[in-house]
Amino acid sequence: MALSEPALLAGMELVGEFEDSGYREPPHLVCRPDGQVVRLPTLLYQVVRALSALPERQRTAAVAEELSRETGRQFTADHVAFLIDKKLAPLGITTYSDGSPPPPTPKSDPFLSFRFRVAVLPEHVTWFLSGLFAWLFRPLLVVGALAAFVAGEVWLWSTQDTGAALRTVLSSPAGVLLVVLLAIASCVFHEMGHGAACRYGGARPGAMGCGIYVVWPAFYTDITNSYRLGRAGRIRADLGGVYFNALFVLGLLALYAATGNPLLLVAILSVHLEMFQQLIPTLRFDGYYIVADLTGIPDLFKYIGPILKRVVLRRPHDERLRALKRWPQTVVAVWVVFLVPALVLQLGVVLMNMPRLLETDWRTVNSLVENAGTSGNQVLGMVAACLQILLLTLPVVGLALVFARPVRSLGRVIRRRVSRRAPA
């Protein structure tokens, strides 16, 4: 039998105000049972808070009285029912005003988001493991580790022949496989850094697992709860992965200094590439989230259109831009102005070099297959060849998919404009 009064869905959690946000009116956060964090304006959050605190009998009228008292404006039960039915229930936060359940609410699907997630370690295991490493974020330890990392970098690049080590390892199928395994271990340790930083700041990390980012296999740690932290805590959680990569490099440097094995030197280079990739702010890697948490604006991509209209077309600010504080708006504008030419340049370079790239990849694939069949250990040779072929083809496919969605969006905009101007 349906309830006659509205209610919060079971498992709904009220987080509170979004600290250090980039909005003129700071939103409030609500965590849905599926783990999705929803931002609400102050009025809607007051409705949710009143629903969670008031008894079921005559709840709509009681919420109206509470809102009238808190805001100094006059609200009626009809006003509250409208807010619930048109705003909160469609977001999957409450039932409808008559007590009927809302339809299933799909998770948001932002541009270039992580897909096909499979949790490998549940939340309680991540909590335990992150507790083992959280002490590494003590300030003195961070300063000492970073100083050691810089010293190791100076020694590495000024004294070691990385090119010779790379040629030696790539000629050995077993060496290639070991480097790949060390790179995977570095990725896992990277994700542990996010979880440990989240726990050190006082928020609970979620599950760890793997999935697909565009076309690349990738690991992830759910640190959605870092939104409970202030700006410093969120940025610490963003940088925790790269910091743990630096610690991983220090461990490899120590082993290399003790053994002189060139394989370790190549593994160090692979970790450097991972760190560089993570700090790029154009895709949804750590660098993107650093900019987002620095400004206090969670989804930067949705501001590309408004920023371009303002900067390029000189149109007035729309509602989305007027809702932002001045300095976060400036940072986002700089990010957009940097992002768009970078993506266009990358697209142009890819298109210009695509025939030669495909030809080179084809020759390399054939060479790898031939050498794999003639190597001493044919099984290892074939596995190493398959891995290298995969690494060669994934960037091409990935770039095509990255640019497919913006091109489709641009095509839809052009078609709409043409249809508007076409005579009836």
Side-chain angles (χ1 to χ4, degrees), residues 196-269:
C198 194
R199 174 162 178 170
Y200 181 83
R204 190 177 185 90
M208 292 181 61
C210 56
I212 300 295
Y213 185 73
V214 187
V215 294
W216 293 278
F219 297 97
Y220 76 91
T221 301
D222 186 354
I223 56 170
T224 305
N225 278 330
S226 65
Y227 281 118
R228 303 169 186 268
L229 308 176
R231 181 180 291 116
R234 296 195 300 267
I235 294 178
R236 183 196 300 114
D238 297 332
L239 287 170
V242 176
Y243 170 55
F244 269 41
N245 283 142
L247 297 179
F248 198 85
V249 167
L250 287 178
L252 293 177
L253 281 172
L255 288 175
Y256 176 71
T259 64
N261 191 331
L263 183 148
L264 296 171
L265 200 58
V266 177
I268 291 170
L269 295 179

Side-chain angles (χ1 to χ4, degrees), residues 63-388:
V63 170
E65 293 179 5
E66 183 70 14
L67 287 181
S68 301
R69 186 184 63 80
E70 290 186 0
T71 63
R73 298 155 56 189
Q74 187 62 38
F75 285 89
T76 66
D78 290 338
H79 293 147
V80 174
F82 175 85
L83 293 175
I84 291 173
D85 292 339
K86 300 299 182 181
K87 302 293 183 180
L88 294 174
L91 292 175
I93 296 175
T94 68
T95 63
Y96 285 99
S97 59
D98 61 358
S100 59
T105 306
K107 285 192 173 185
S108 60
D109 183 23
F111 179 53
L112 294 178
S113 60
F114 200 87
R115 299 175 184 273
F116 308 113
R117 295 189 180 196
V118 176
V120 177
L121 299 180
E123 183 177 326
H124 69 275
V125 176
T126 305
W127 172 258
F128 170 75
L129 293 176
S130 61
L132 298 179
F133 299 102
W135 59 275
L136 290 170
F137 287 94
R138 293 174 182 171
L140 290 179
L141 288 174
V142 172
V143 172
L146 293 180
F149 176 74
V150 172
E153 291 292 290
V154 173
W155 175 79
L156 173 66
W157 296 108
S158 62
T159 64
Q160 303 304 304
D161 189 355
T162 56
L166 190 61
R167 288 190 295 271
T168 300
V169 172
L170 289 180
S171 63
S172 168
V176 171
L177 291 178
L178 288 174
V179 169
V180 171
L181 290 176
L182 286 173
I184 292 174
S186 173
C187 292
V188 173
F189 198 56
H190 173 101
E191 297 304 326
M192 193 60 65
H194 288 307
C198 194
R199 174 162 178 170
Y200 181 83
R204 190 177 185 90
M208 292 181 61
C210 56
I212 300 295
Y213 185 73
V214 187
V215 294
W216 293 278
F219 297 97
Y220 76 91
T221 301
D222 186 354
I223 56 170
T224 305
N225 278 330
S226 65
Y227 281 118
R228 303 169 186 268
L229 308 176
R231 181 180 291 116
R234 296 195 300 267
I235 294 178
R236 183 196 300 114
D238 297 332
L239 287 170
V242 176
Y243 170 55
F244 269 41
N245 283 142
L247 297 179
F248 198 85
V249 167
L250 287 178
L252 293 177
L253 281 172
L255 288 175
Y256 176 71
T259 64
N261 191 331
L263 183 148
L264 296 171
L265 200 58
V266 177
I268 291 170
L269 295 179
S270 72
V271 178
H272 279 79
L273 288 176
E274 180 188 354
M275 296 170 69
F276 176 76
Q277 176 197 33
Q278 288 293 337
L279 292 175
I280 295 176
T282 53
L283 300 179
R284 290 184 188 269
F285 298 128
D286 293 349
Y288 167 87
Y289 290 106
I290 290 170
V291 177
D293 288 327
L294 176 67
T295 58
I297 303 171
D299 192 356
L300 300 177
F301 281 107
K302 74 176 185 179
Y303 293 96
I304 293 178
I307 291 291
L308 290 180
K309 290 178 182 178
R310 174 61 180 164
V311 174
V312 178
L313 302 179
R314 299 297 181 182
R315 293 183 180 177
H317 289 71
D318 68 5
E319 290 296 330
R320 285 176 290 182
L321 292 182
R322 281 195 288 267
L324 303 181
K325 296 177 183 176
R326 190 173 188 83
W327 77 264
Q329 185 180 138
T330 302
V331 174
V332 175
V334 171
W335 177 79
V336 171
V337 170
F338 162 77
L339 171 73
V340 174
L343 291 179
V344 172
L345 179 62
Q346 291 175 17
L347 178 60
V349 170
V350 169
L351 292 177
M352 290 178 59
N353 293 281
M354 184 63 72
R356 186 173 60 184
L357 181 63
L358 293 175
E359 181 183 356
T360 302
D361 283 357
W362 180 252
R363 288 201 306 267
T364 305
V365 167
N366 288 330
S367 175
L368 288 170
V369 172
E370 292 174 1
N371 293 335
T374 59
S375 62
N377 191 323
Q378 293 189 2
V379 175
L380 282 178
M382 289 301 297
V383 173
C386 290
L387 283 174
Q388 293 179 70

Side-chain angles (χ1 to χ4, degrees), residues 8-54:
L8 294 183
L9 295 186
M12 197 67 59
E13 181 182 1
L14 281 66
V15 178
E17 183 177 307
F18 183 21
E19 295 185 37
D20 300 316
S21 77
Y23 302 95
R24 296 184 185 276
E25 181 182 349
H28 291 73
L29 305 179
V30 174
C31 185
R32 292 192 329 209
D34 61 0
Q36 185 90 1
V37 175
V38 182
R39 299 189 306 275
L40 296 177
T42 302
L43 179 61
L44 292 182
Y45 188 80
Q46 288 173 326
V47 174
V48 172
R49 186 174 58 192
L51 284 173
S52 66
L54 294 171

